[in-house]
Amino acid sequence: MMFDLNKAINLLNDKLEIWFNELVKILPNLLLAALILVIGFFIAKYIRKLAEKISNKVSGNITINNLFSTFVYVVFLGIVFFTALSILKLDKAVTSILAGAGILGLALAFAFQDIAANFISGIFITFRKPLQIGDIVSIKDYMGKVVEVNLRDTVIMTFQGKMVIIPNKDVFQSAIENYSLLGKRRLDLEVGVSYNDDLEQAAKLAVEAVKNLEGLDPSEEVTLFYKEFGESSINFTIRLWCNSTDQISYLKLGHQAIIAIKKSFDLNHITIPFPIRTLDVSWPEQKIN
């Protein structure tokens, strides 16, 4: 028993001596790795602030800016961490960690590919800025005002009062009609006049009737073009520019234009015809016995 205890103590002493010798050998590398970690941590914090400052100049989206600065911070810390492991000659551990991270990342990419696509699309939308909060837009089958732009989706309130949440992938891949970029909107009003009326007079009266309406953009000319011979009328399009992109102002201008043109035509005996249909009714002949 005494022999076994002494043998165990000797083995323990040998192991401790080996470990101590290895610790002495690795001590310079360990101190260097610790120094790199400490310095790298402070540098990473500085780089994070710098990245946030740069992103604030490029984008006004706070969420995107925080995300970008955090991403830069994590990436730099990862570089510092792997550098420290390499100094400690833990290359196998570094390789294992990288391999595991790669497999995990691939698995997550497949599992959350739709979320990732919406997330990345949200980043592109934020930087490209095809739309902003308050814009009047038409995306796919929805038209309304943009009330929120998130990293995952875009929220639109339609003019019927519905809140529509559209995934950013669909927003990014679809055609976006933005009615607010120019700061004004064009109204195309379709009107028809009788074949018996003077077309030049009708055109002149229509333009005169609308050119001084409230809400009309004075920098844009009111234009009118005859475009077709209809079944019951000769049709023209009169084009007006609203000085606001707001939907109510746009509809109000169209409302006033219709009233003004109708009044002017009535006063000057210009007819706005309605379709005429002729019904030919024939009764079956009765047999006379």
Side-chain angles (χ1 to χ4, degrees):
M1 183 70 182
M2 193 67 178
F3 175 78
D4 293 339
L5 181 59
N6 290 332
K7 186 177 180 180
I9 292 173
N10 291 331
L11 288 173
L12 182 60
N13 288 332
D14 292 340
K15 284 293 182 181
L16 289 175
E17 186 177 353
I18 292 172
W19 290 347
F20 180 76
N21 292 333
E22 292 296 326
L23 179 62
V24 172
K25 290 180 182 179
I26 203 176
L27 188 58
N29 290 346
L30 186 62
L31 293 175
L32 180 60
L35 183 62
I36 288 177
L37 284 175
V38 173
I39 295 175
F41 175 75
F42 286 104
I43 295 177
K45 291 182 66 176
Y46 172 77
I47 290 179
R48 181 177 187 174
K49 292 181 180 179
L50 182 62
E52 188 173 355
K53 186 181 297 184
I54 293 173
S55 60
N56 284 333
K57 293 181 180 180
V58 177
S59 170
N61 191 306
I62 298 176
T63 305
I64 287 290
N65 298 341
N66 291 337
L67 177 68
F68 175 72
S69 60
T70 302
F71 175 76
V72 173
Y73 176 73
V74 171
V75 168
F76 189 82
L77 278 183
I79 294 173
V80 171
F81 177 70
F82 287 122
T83 302
L85 288 179
S86 298
I87 291 174
L88 294 175
K89 297 182 180 180
L90 299 175
D91 299 334
K92 292 183 179 180
V94 174
T95 304
S96 300
I97 292 173
L98 289 175
I103 295 173
L104 179 62
L106 185 62
L108 291 176
F110 278 109
F112 302 103
Q113 55 182 334
D114 288 338
I115 296 177
N118 289 323
F119 181 79
I120 294 172
S121 297
I123 293 175
F124 279 113
I125 289 171
T126 301
F127 281 98
R128 288 187 59 189
K129 297 181 180 178
L131 49 81
Q132 296 182 25
I133 294 176
D135 284 355
I136 305 294
V137 299
S138 177
I139 303 173
K140 303 189 82 171
D141 298 326
Y142 303 102
M143 180 177 180
K145 180 179 290 188
V146 179
V147 295
E148 194 172 349
V149 180
N150 301 312
L151 289 179
R152 185 182 177 277
D153 50 52
T154 297
V155 182
I156 293 176
M157 184 174 70
T158 68
F159 299 127
Q160 291 75 36
K162 300 176 183 178
M163 302 296 289
V164 181
I165 302 174
I166 307 176
N168 280 334
K169 181 179 69 173
D170 295 337
V171 176
F172 187 70
Q173 294 177 349
S174 302
I176 301 175
E177 297 181 44
N178 193 323
Y179 298 92
S180 300
L181 287 179
L182 295 178
K184 54 188 175 183
R185 292 175 64 181
R186 197 181 80 181
L187 170 68
D188 293 355
L189 192 61
E190 308 287 336
V191 187
V193 296
S194 170
Y195 277 86
N196 296 323
D197 291 326
D198 185 335
L199 298 184
E200 292 183 350
Q201 182 190 16
K204 183 178 179 181
L205 289 172
V207 172
E208 288 292 329
V210 302
K211 70 178 184 179
N212 293 318
L213 290 178
E214 182 182 357
L216 196 69
D217 188 349
S219 65
E220 296 286 349
E221 181 183 2
V222 177
T223 56
L224 185 150
F225 299 97
Y226 285 99
K227 65 176 189 176
E228 64 180 359
F229 293 93
E231 293 183 3
S232 306
S233 62
I234 298 178
N235 302 321
F236 65 82
T237 300
I238 185 167
R239 302 190 301 188
L240 320 170
W241 283 89
C242 180
N243 61 8
S244 172
T245 60
D246 183 70
Q247 184 71 4
I248 296 299
S249 301
Y250 177 80
L251 294 177
K252 186 177 179 181
L253 178 63
H255 170 83
Q256 294 176 340
I258 291 173
I259 293 176
I261 292 174
K262 179 66 168 57
K263 283 184 177 180
S264 179
F265 280 7
D266 288 346
L267 289 174
N268 292 275
H269 308 291
I270 302 294
T271 305
I272 302 176
F274 49 85
I276 299 175
R277 297 288 183 270
T278 302
L279 300 179
D280 185 6
V281 180
S282 60
W283 297 94
E285 295 181 1
Q286 296 182 354
K287 292 183 179 180
I288 301 176
N289 294 328

